[in-house]
C-alpha cells in the first residue's frame, strides 16, 4: 500500500489549482492528485520541527537550519478571484 502525504486546501478553494513544492510547479495526475478538499502526494514530504534548543541556537546565530523542510504553495480561485496560499500544513501518513 502506498503512503499518502496530504495537504488541506484552503476553505472555499476552487480549481484551477497551481501547486508548487519548494517553489517548483507540480503537475496534477503526475506529482499529486486532488481529493476531498486535499492535495494528495505519494512522494514523502517533510516539515522540519524545531525544538526550543534548536530555535534558541538559531536565534542566537550559533547555527542555521539545515533540516529537510518542504513547503507547499497553491494558487486557486476563491469567489471568482485568483488568490494564493503559502506554506500549507503537510499531514504525514498515519
Amino acid at each position: 500500500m502506498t503512503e499518502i502525504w496530504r495537504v488541506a486546501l484552503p476553505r472555499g478553494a476552487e480549481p484551477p489549482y497551481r501547486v508548487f513544492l519548494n517553489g517548483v510547479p507540480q503537475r496534477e495526475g503526475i506529482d499529486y492528485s486532488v481529493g476531498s478538499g486535499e492535495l494528495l502526494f505519494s512522494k514523502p514530504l517533510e516539515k522540519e520541527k524545531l525544538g526550543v534548543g534548536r530555535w534558541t541556537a538559531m536565534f542566537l546565530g550559533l547555527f542555521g537550519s539545515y533540516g529537510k523542510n518542504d513547503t507547499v504553495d497553491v494558487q486557486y480561485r476563491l469567489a471568482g478571484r485568483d488568490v494564493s496560499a503559502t506554506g500549507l500544513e503537510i499531514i504525514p501518513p498515519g
Side-chain angles (χ1 to χ4, degrees), residues 1-45:
M1 184 172 128
T2 302
E3 293 187 310
I4 301 294
W5 282 257
R6 301 178 347 232
V7 175
L9 287 166
R11 184 177 305 221
E14 302 169 351
Y17 304 113
R18 292 188 62 212
V19 177
F20 301 87
L21 176 60
N22 301 325
V24 178
Q26 303 296 292
R27 296 165 294 174
E28 185 174 357
I30 297 170
D31 301 309
Y32 72 95
S33 59
V34 179
S36 300
E38 297 177 317
L39 303 174
L40 308 170
F41 294 85
S42 59
K43 71 185 261 182
L45 303 178

